[in-house]
Amino acid sequence: MSGPLIVLVGPMGVGKSTVGQLLADRLGVGYRDTDDDIVAAEGRSIADIFVDEGEPAFRAIEKRAVHTALTEHEGVLALGGGAILDADTRALLAGQRVVYLSMDVEEAVKRTGLNAARPLLAVNPRKQWRELMEARRHLYEEVATAVVPTDGRTPEEVTEAALDALELKEA
């Protein structure tokens, strides 16, 4: 299998970055986040890209970043919450070890709050998060090798559950 050892998908605020770094540390591999790649390449925040150019332009940038990372990175890779919206990206995830980190709306509101840096949740966070999840949940599940609920769990507990679900041993 080529590409990342583990790919993390899930909604914004679920803990992909935190759990991804913990998984990478435990497995003795590198960690990469496509959102970080986009910010570095574009020289501005994701929120600024959304405001300046709109969601379709951001999704095109994101698609390129994800495809590059899936080709180049061999450690733990975290994808942005909407990366799975692209059919080509979902096809590339076939055959990869993909962990979908899930959470319910109450947990999401606790974690993301009314964060203005999350452009898709700017107006009515609870309602918009529910709508995003209704549109995306089946796509996360489609690409997932394992689903790991994060509600009420520490990042360490989620990391352990992901390792168990994938039957991976620490370095």
Side-chain angles (χ1 to χ4, degrees):
M1 182 171 84
S2 64
L5 182 61
I6 301 173
V7 179
L8 297 177
V9 299
M12 60 190 89
V14 76
K16 295 181 298 285
S17 299
T18 302
V19 171
Q21 190 62 64
L22 287 169
L23 282 167
D25 292 349
R26 300 255 311 254
L27 294 167
V29 298
Y31 169 73
R32 185 167 175 176
D33 184 321
T34 58
D35 282 353
D36 293 342
D37 291 352
I38 292 166
V39 170
E42 296 294 313
R44 56 198 167 137
S45 72
I46 288 171
D48 285 346
I49 298 167
F50 263 83
V51 170
D52 296 344
E53 298 181 41
E55 185 174 358
F58 171 75
R59 295 294 173 209
I61 294 165
E62 179 179 54
K63 177 179 178 173
R64 289 190 301 274
V66 169
H67 290 213
T68 298
L70 285 170
T71 304
E72 295 176 354
H73 190 66
E74 296 180 349
V76 177
L77 178 64
L79 305 186
I84 46 77
L85 295 171
D86 181 74
D88 294 336
T89 297
R90 291 194 308 277
L92 285 174
L93 291 172
Q96 299 285 340
R97 278 189 200 100
V98 180
V99 176
Y100 162 33
L101 299 180
S102 67
M103 67 180 167
D104 70 20
V105 68
E106 294 311 317
E107 188 80 8
V109 169
K110 274 191 265 181
R111 293 186 193 183
T112 61
L114 303 175
N115 190 339
R118 301 194 187 273
L120 293 179
L121 296 183
V123 180
N124 179 342
R126 265 192 179 80
K127 179 177 182 280
Q128 288 182 289
W129 194 87
R130 278 194 189 95
E131 288 172 0
L132 280 174
M133 285 308 298
E134 284 170 19
R136 296 178 180 180
R137 183 174 290 109
H138 71 285
L139 299 175
Y140 291 133
E141 291 169 350
E142 174 188 318
V143 301
T145 307
V147 178
V148 176
T150 65
D151 303 284
R153 285 176 152 172
T154 66
E156 292 76 14
E157 290 168 335
V158 173
T159 300
E160 192 63 38
L163 289 170
D164 288 349
L166 295 175
E167 297 179 357
L168 288 173
K169 301 296 174 223
E170 294 179 49

